[in-house]
Amino acid sequence: MSLRHALLALLTSEPMTGYDLVKSYRASASLVWHAPDSQIYPELRKMKSEGLILGTPVPWGEHTTKQQYSITEAGVRAFREWMNTTLEYSRERDPAHLKAAYFEWATPEAAREQLLAHIDHYRTRAEIWRSMTTALANHSDPTLTRRLRAFPESWEAIIEYKIFAYEGLVAQAEQQITWAERGLELIDRLSGRAHLSPEGGSAPLETLGTTQRSR
Amino acid sequence: MSLRHALLALLTSEPMTGYDLVKSYRASASLVWHAPDSQIYPELRKMKSEGLILGTPVPWGEHTTKQQYSITEAGVRAFREWMNTTLEYSRERDPAHLKAAYFEWATPEAAREQLLAHIDHYRTRAEIWRSMTTALANHSDPTLTRRLRAFPESWEAIIEYKIFAYEGLVAQAEQQITWAERGLELIDRLSGRAHLSPEGGSAPLETLGTTQRSR
DNA sequence: GAAAACATGTAACCGGTTACATGATTCT
DNA sequence: AGAATCATGTAACCGGTTACATGTTTTC
């Protein structure tokens, strides 16, 4: 459901073609809610069929047209409604922490590599989000510029809330990095004696044998 | 794919019935990877058909049997392989931060309520994860006890990695709370003048009008 | 005898993932 | 003329979500 609202959000600034949206999306919304191009076009058609957006064909070259999408009043209403409805929090879905809880089953090398990948991932994210924050603060982000043009009276809130969101993501990433670094130290301390070796397996498997060979 | 590996992880401690697994799952794995009961039973049958676990019927009452599942060697191999394979990180999926980035579209009250829900959610999580951490440290968690019985030689790693994982989650939750609190202050500072009012809409809608009424 | 816990699902749906697929236009 | 960019998808799959559904056994 969020893809749809991210697209509506983008279209509140100005009408755009599918391709424009894909690009805008990649440059802004995808930093918070990833979606592949192949999901965006069909979603746009669905939104159009539901009357949230309007698709106007505009000429492209001599022989063809492209769709220019603009948000309708129903679309604005739907977006506002989503914005004014408190999100439900429910699912816990964290494969990295799930894995970490069972690191004794990995080789120390694999566990280390996992955490290094974790660090790498969040370092990259943090950089992206940090540069987004500065782009917002300088007004150098093009998506922001278009938005400020559309709503000059709200420029302060527009900028501040976006910076707030991205700074939160940066802080989150930094926390993840700190955590993973602590994990690396822990692996160094425990590696060897305490891990369940990956090939040997005899010790762990014996303790499991009772029923698995029954019948 | 993680549900399957969480189930394998639980079964490395000892064989269990579906119902035992559901309970164990709820008490431990679901704190990291939520899954409803209705997903667990079918997944078990799938895993059985793939030879990762073995289902032995054991008598239950006079007339019926229940399935006792035990991990097979293929299951242990599959679990180890997963543990030794670095996870891929890709999708960014964060509706809370997506929404926060567009808080100017919500009423200040709705934005505030969203952040309060955020705080509430993570406070609850943090408490759960924190109490899990202490249960692990005391050896008072029953799932842990079973596991230590199965692998006495690795008790230190087993405990430390689990504490590590849960402490990471606690830290994450605390960070989320801090972030949301900062957001509440921001809303107080910006509320009113800067928000795009939810009913009025005339100002924002005018700027959108050019194409939406075309055709 | 009733309640709580045990036991095990099915079915419909839907959002997201992956892989594949193609052609037009503009720029150099 | 060729490359880059613009433009727009389809199809198959799969994991997860929601809602519904039912019967047994043990305990009080």
Side-chain angles (χ1 to χ4, degrees):
Chain A
M1 274 295 97
S2 291
L3 170 59
R4 152 169 315 203
H5 296 106
L7 291 170
L8 288 175
L10 290 177
L11 286 171
T12 54
S13 286
E14 59 179 2
M16 279 185 260
T17 66
Y19 191 72
D20 290 340
L21 267 164
V22 165
K23 275 190 308 173
S24 276
Y25 198 94
R26 253 187 254 163
S28 62
S30 80
L31 308 187
V32 200
W33 188 271
H34 165 80
D37 304 357
S38 69
Q39 208 185 340
I40 294 178
Y41 289 106
E43 185 65 25
L44 286 171
R45 264 180 308 145
K46 230 162 107 194
M47 289 162 73
K48 184 180 160 185
S49 82
E50 292 175 36
L52 302 176
I53 59 179
L54 204 113
T56 329
V58 297
W60 177 54
E62 300 281 295
H63 320 293
T64 356
T65 59
K66 52 184 177 179
Q67 288 285 310
Q68 166 109 305
Y69 291 109
S70 48
I71 194 166
T72 61
E73 293 192 24
V76 173
R77 261 199 314 278
F79 180 57
R80 273 220 183 85
E81 199 188 314
W82 183 70
M83 284 303 304
N84 285 326
T85 307
T86 305
L87 285 173
E88 295 210 0
Y89 291 79
S90 50
R91 57 288 186 69
E92 224 46 66
R93 285 284 150 82
D94 197 328
H97 284 74
L98 171 59
K99 253 188 104 172
Y102 291 101
F103 267 171
E104 73 272 12
W105 280 90
T107 62
E109 296 72 44
R112 221 173 269 127
E113 217 177 300
Q114 175 63 55
L115 290 178
L116 289 172
H118 197 82
I119 291 169
D120 188 61
H121 172 73
Y122 283 105
R123 265 212 236 286
T124 309
R125 295 283 138 197
E127 261 163 54
I128 293 169
W129 289 324
R130 223 176 269 125
S131 70
M132 190 57 165
T133 312
T134 44
L136 291 166
N138 307 338
H139 304 206
S140 64
D141 177 64
T143 309
L144 176 70
T145 314
R146 285 195 292 273
R147 185 164 293 275
L148 294 180
R149 208 179 309 134
F151 304 104
E153 72 287 2
S154 303
W155 69 271
E156 197 184 358
I158 289 170
I159 295 174
E160 293 285 313
Y161 285 134
K162 277 160 202 57
I163 290 177
F164 164 61
Y166 284 105
E167 283 183 348
L169 292 167
V170 170
Q172 214 180 275
E174 280 166 354
Q175 199 275 313
Q176 293 293 332
I177 292 165
T178 308
W179 173 73
E181 279 166 351
R182 220 199 101 201
L184 288 173
E185 286 166 26
L186 186 59
I187 293 167
D188 287 343
R189 192 153 68 69
L190 296 174
S191 74
R193 77 204 140 103
H195 277 247
L196 305 169
S197 74
E199 296 84 13
S202 62
L205 277 174
E206 262 160 35
T207 68
L208 299 165
T210 23
T211 44
Q212 77 178 299
R213 268 185 289 276
S214 71
R215 203 273 135 73
Chain B
M1 274 294 98
S2 290
L3 169 58
R4 149 166 320 203
H5 296 104
L7 291 170
L8 288 174
L10 290 177
L11 286 171
T12 56
S13 284
E14 60 179 3
M16 281 186 258
T17 66
Y19 192 72
D20 291 339
L21 268 164
V22 165
K23 275 189 310 172
S24 277
Y25 197 95
R26 253 187 254 162
S28 62
S30 80
L31 308 187
V32 201
W33 188 270
H34 166 81
D37 304 357
S38 69
Q39 206 186 342
I40 292 178
Y41 288 105
E43 184 67 23
L44 285 171
R45 266 181 306 144
K46 230 162 109 194
M47 289 161 74
K48 185 181 159 182
S49 81
E50 294 176 35
L52 302 176
I53 59 178
L54 203 114
T56 329
V58 298
W60 179 52
E62 301 280 295
H63 318 292
T64 356
T65 60
K66 55 184 177 180
Q67 289 285 309
Q68 166 109 305
Y69 292 109
S70 47
I71 193 166
T72 61
E73 294 192 21
V76 174
R77 260 200 314 278
F79 180 57
R80 274 221 183 84
E81 200 189 312
W82 184 70
M83 284 303 304
N84 285 324
T85 307
T86 305
L87 286 173
E88 295 209 0
Y89 291 80
S90 49
R91 55 279 178 84
E92 223 49 64
R93 284 284 151 81
D94 197 328
H97 284 73
L98 170 60
K99 252 187 105 171
Y102 291 100
F103 267 170
E104 73 270 13
W105 279 89
T107 63
E109 296 72 43
R112 222 175 266 127
E113 218 178 298
Q114 174 62 56
L115 290 177
L116 289 172
H118 196 82
I119 290 168
D120 189 62
H121 173 74
Y122 282 106
R123 266 211 234 284
T124 309
R125 295 284 137 196
E127 262 163 53
I128 292 170
W129 289 324
R130 224 178 266 126
S131 70
M132 189 57 163
T133 310
T134 44
L136 290 166
N138 304 337
H139 303 207
S140 64
D141 177 64
T143 308
L144 177 70
T145 314
R146 284 195 293 274
R147 184 164 293 277
L148 294 180
R149 206 180 307 133
F151 305 104
E153 72 287 2
S154 304
W155 69 270
E156 198 185 356
I158 289 170
I159 297 174
E160 294 285 314
Y161 286 134
K162 277 161 202 54
I163 290 178
F164 164 62
Y166 285 105
E167 284 184 348
L169 292 166
V170 170
Q172 215 180 277
E174 281 166 354
Q175 198 274 312
Q176 293 293 331
I177 293 166
T178 309
W179 173 73
E181 280 166 351
R182 220 199 101 200
L184 289 173
E185 287 166 27
L186 186 60
I187 293 167
D188 288 342
R189 192 153 68 70
L190 295 175
S191 74
R193 78 202 138 104
H195 277 246
L196 306 169
S197 74
E199 297 82 15
S202 64
L205 276 175
E206 263 162 34
T207 68
L208 299 164
T210 21
T211 44
Q212 78 179 294
R213 268 185 288 276
S214 70
R215 195 278 128 77

